[in-house]
């Protein structure tokens, strides 16, 4: 059971992640042209310094799905949570890890 942060505590110190850091996120979705631009746009909304050159792509065995690994500069848990919610809510995205 985790305890809630106490008033005045620094949530960055209550995390296992040391912010800021480069944080990998894997997005899996339908293999369509619109998936990659949607992932890039969403990443840039949450990380203005997002570098699309670092993207790793991996096709599913059947060729119907695409795995997209991005690396964002994580600055807080709230930022990562918002990014996960935005990516998960996209209609082309099936899984966000």
């Amino acid at each position: 059971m985790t305890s809630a942060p106490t008033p005045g505590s620094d949530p960055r110190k209550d995390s296992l992640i040391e912010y800021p850091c480069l944080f990998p996120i894997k997005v899996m979705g339908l293999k369509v042209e619109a998936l990659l631009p949607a992932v890039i746009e969403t990443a840039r909304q949450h990380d203005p310094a997002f570098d699309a050159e670092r993207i790793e792509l991996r096709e599913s065995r059947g060729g119907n799905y695409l795995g997209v690994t991005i690396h964002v500069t994580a600055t807080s848990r709230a930022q990562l949570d918002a990014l996960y919610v935005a990516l998960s809510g996209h209609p082309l995205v099936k899984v966000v890890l």
Side-chain angles (χ1 to χ4, degrees), residues 44-63:
R44 284 194 174 133
Q45 289 171 356
H46 296 271
D47 175 12
F50 175 71
D51 181 5
E53 296 294 318
R54 295 188 55 126
I55 291 176
E56 299 167 28
L57 302 175
R58 185 170 187 168
E59 226 178 274
S60 68
R61 190 175 313 166

Side-chain angles (χ1 to χ4, degrees), residues 14-97:
D14 297 334
S15 174
L16 296 176
I17 300 171
E18 229 177 276
Y19 299 104
C21 68
L22 206 52
F23 192 85
I25 297 174
K26 184 166 188 172
V27 180
M28 294 163 49
L30 297 173
K31 186 183 171 209
V32 295
E33 272 188 49
L35 178 63
L36 189 56
V39 170
I40 292 170
E41 179 183 340
T42 304
R44 284 194 174 133
Q45 289 171 356
H46 296 271
D47 175 12
F50 175 71
D51 181 5
E53 296 294 318
R54 295 188 55 126
I55 291 176
E56 299 167 28
L57 302 175
R58 185 170 187 168
E59 226 178 274
S60 68
R61 190 175 313 166
N64 296 323
Y65 296 93
L66 183 65
V68 181
T69 301
I70 60 174
H71 294 83
V72 295
T73 301
T75 57
S76 69
R77 172 71 185 256
Q79 175 215 25
L80 288 177
D81 288 347
L83 178 53
Y84 272 89
V85 167
L87 288 169
S88 298
H90 195 282
L92 296 176
V93 173
K94 298 299 179 192
V95 178
V96 181
L97 304 171

